[in-house]
Structures are given as C-alpha cells and as structure tokens.
Amino acid sequence: MQVMGSDDEAVGSTQRHSLTVLVVQFITAMIVLDTWQYFMHRFMHQNKFLYKHIHSLHHRLVVPYAYGALYNHPVEGLLLDTIGGALSFLLSGMSPRASIFFFSFATIKTVDDHCGLWLPGNPFHLFFKNNTAYHDIHHQLYGSKYNFSQPFFVIWDRILGTYMPYSLEKRRGGGFEARPAKEFNGD
C-alpha cells in the first residue's frame, strides 16, 4: 500500500486547480471572442460602406466551403480575427501555450462551420448550436440579416432577435439542405 505524502497531495491539488483554471480561461475566451465577433460581424452587415468594401468579399461564398472560412478582406481579418483574438487572449488570462490550443480549436471550429457538410457524429454539432447548418443559413440570401454569431454560441442572436432557426431536409440525391424553419416569420 502506498501512502501519499503531502508533496504528492499538493501536486494532485495543483493539477486539479490548473485544469479548472484552464477550463475557465477557455470558456472566458470563447465568450469574449463570440461577443466581439457577433457585434463586429453584425456591424459589418449594417454599415453599407463596410459591407460593400470589406465584408461582402466573404459573402461571395453563397455556399460556404472549408477554405472559405477565412476568405475575407485583410481589414476584416484584422478587425474580427486579430483584435478579437487578442482580446480573448488578454481578457481570459491564458498562457501562450494554452492560447495555441484555444486558437487551433477556434480555427478548426470555424472551418467546420463553413465546410457545408453535416457529417454524422461530428462533435461540433453535438456540443454547439452554432454549427455548419446554422452558419449556412447566414450565407444564404434570405439569411444575411440573421445568425451573425460565430464561432461557438448563438446567445447574442437569441437575445438581440437575429436568430433564424433552421431545419435540415434530406435531398433527393443524398445529403441535407439547411432551410429556415417553417415556423420562422422574418420581418
């Protein structure tokens, strides 16, 4: 029988504490990034100059695909991704090492949201309402005033009335198509 000494207990306690801190930092960074992205993304849609000269480049992709996730104007990359990333990094207090994992996760999630595929068993679809179909609706002509949230949660869309629910309908040739839910009555 092995008896744990106080050093072993301290290491175990520190590891649990470190994991808790890391989870809190990830969640904080996700909330900060989502908040920044929502308001900047919505502003780029509402401001005619910004939409025409900057954000419309990204919306040339009516049918999103993976490489198009970060297909945007350099100014948009700076405003949404770089500044939003810096704020989420600084306000969460995460270490540079933790930020590598966080931003890799956020990038993979963004690429998945734009891939245009509803893959069975996709863990992003299980854990996040903001997913491929959700963002696909935003890229359709009727959805350009809705579903601004990215990349994790849909809370800002729900709170501020820009949430467009969707349904997945089977296509004749296979696959699914995201469409606004029948009960949705957009203004």
Side-chain angles (χ1 to χ4, degrees):
M1 178 174 188
Q2 184 178 357
V3 177
M4 287 182 61
S6 60
D7 288 341
D8 292 335
E9 290 170 3
V11 168
S13 174
T14 302
Q15 288 174 340
R16 281 191 301 277
H17 175 72
S18 296
L19 182 59
T20 303
V21 168
L22 187 61
V23 168
V24 169
Q25 289 172 337
F26 259 63
I27 292 170
T28 301
M30 290 167 78
I31 291 168
V32 170
L33 187 60
D34 255 33
T35 301
W36 180 262
Q37 293 268 347
Y38 175 84
F39 286 102
M40 289 304 296
H41 187 198
R42 185 172 178 180
F43 182 63
M44 286 197 171
H45 276 265
Q46 292 175 330
N47 182 298
K48 290 179 182 179
F49 178 84
L50 290 176
Y51 187 83
K52 180 179 180 182
H53 297 287
I54 295 174
H55 189 59
S56 66
L57 178 68
H58 179 71
H59 276 275
R60 289 180 186 164
L61 306 173
V62 177
V63 178
Y65 66 102
Y67 287 116
L70 299 172
Y71 174 74
N72 54 25
H73 191 282
V75 172
E76 181 175 355
L78 174 69
L79 292 175
L80 266 75
D81 303 324
T82 305
I83 294 174
L87 287 171
S88 62
F89 170 73
L90 294 171
L91 295 176
S92 69
M94 65 176 56
S95 70
R97 180 180 296 163
S99 74
I100 290 169
F101 291 100
F102 174 72
F103 291 118
S104 295
F105 173 68
T107 301
I108 292 167
K109 172 74 172 69
T110 300
V111 168
D112 182 72
D113 290 347
H114 286 82
C115 78
L117 297 173
W118 188 268
L119 301 172
N122 184 332
F124 291 128
H125 297 170
L126 298 173
F127 295 109
F128 297 101
K129 295 286 185 197
N130 189 340
N131 53 40
T132 304
Y134 185 83
H135 200 68
D136 190 51
I137 292 291
H138 173 74
H139 274 266
Q140 302 307 312
L141 296 176
Y142 50 74
S144 66
K145 294 181 181 178
Y146 300 95
N147 296 5
F148 297 111
S149 292
Q150 55 185 10
F152 302 109
F153 310 112
V154 298
I155 190 72
W156 289 117
D157 279 318
R158 287 189 177 272
I159 291 171
L160 298 172
T162 55
Y163 177 79
M164 181 185 279
Y166 63 88
S167 64
L168 288 174
E169 299 178 13
K170 283 193 172 212
R171 289 185 175 163
R172 246 187 264 157
F176 294 94
E177 183 174 347
R179 294 192 175 199
K182 291 183 182 4
E183 69 273 3
F184 179 74
N185 184 14
D187 296 330

